[in-house]
Amino acid sequence: QVQLVESGGGLVQAGGSLRLSCAASGRTFSSYAMGWYRQAPGKERELLAAITSGGTTLYTDSVQGRFTISRDNAKNTVYLQMNGLKPEDTAVYYCAADPNFRRLTGGPAGAVDYWGQGTQVTVSS
């Protein structure tokens, strides 16, 4: 069982930065692939970035070059550094964990093993 708790969301002006954190419980954190998703009102949950247990990263086009995912296995924490924020980045941001990277990144959101409760990010224009 893995529990995920996100933090770091808030209100920021366009062009600003935020760093989200996701603290995970459990001894097997280092073996999990981790990902960040977001969901805006009226839209489906979308993958933003993911990182394998070995540190290989994947980004979607919407955040490539602006967002950076990283992990600290000693702290059981995954981060999402967000720079150059835009109003369209406004959403609830979720942390996700799954031992299978393909399922985390390529399957339906409902198939992912573990989710955090989400943290709100609001970008004002």
Side-chain angles (χ1 to χ4, degrees), residues 70-86:
S70 61
R71 65 190 298 161
D72 185 337
N73 289 336
K75 295 182 178 180
N76 278 15
T77 301
V78 63
Y79 304 96
L80 185 68
Q81 177 66 45
M82 305 186 294
N83 299 326
L85 284 162
K86 307 173 183 180

Side-chain angles (χ1 to χ4, degrees), residues 15 18 23 28 41 49 67-68 86 94 123:
L18 283 174
T28 58
F67 292 7
T68 302
K86 307 173 183 180
Y94 296 92
V123 184

Side-chain angles (χ1 to χ4, degrees), residues 83-120:
N83 299 326
L85 284 162
K86 307 173 183 180
E88 51 264 43
D89 292 319
T90 295
V92 178
Y93 284 66
Y94 296 92
C95 174
D98 199 294
N100 187 306
F101 186 77
R102 182 170 292 183
R103 185 166 62 209
L104 179 70
T105 60
V112 174
D113 270 3
Y114 300 105
W115 292 95
Q117 83 288 351
T119 185
Q120 176 71 45

Side-chain angles (χ1 to χ4, degrees), residues 6-78:
E6 300 99 333
S7 61
L11 174 64
V12 63
Q13 289 187 334
S17 299
L18 283 174
R19 188 176 81 154
L20 304 183
S21 300
C22 173
S25 65
R27 300 179 181 177
T28 58
F29 171 80
S30 61
S31 67
Y32 278 76
M34 302 295 296
W36 286 97
Y37 285 70
R38 69 185 177 195
Q39 188 167 18
K43 295 188 177 181
E44 292 188 355
R45 192 169 297 192
E46 64 167 331
L47 173 70
L48 303 176
I51 186 167
T52 67
S53 58
T56 300
T57 57
L58 174 151
Y59 297 94
T60 59
D61 290 344
S62 60
V63 303
Q64 177 76 51
R66 297 191 299 128
F67 292 7
T68 302
I69 189 171
S70 61
R71 65 190 298 161
D72 185 337
N73 289 336
K75 295 182 178 180
N76 278 15
T77 301
V78 63

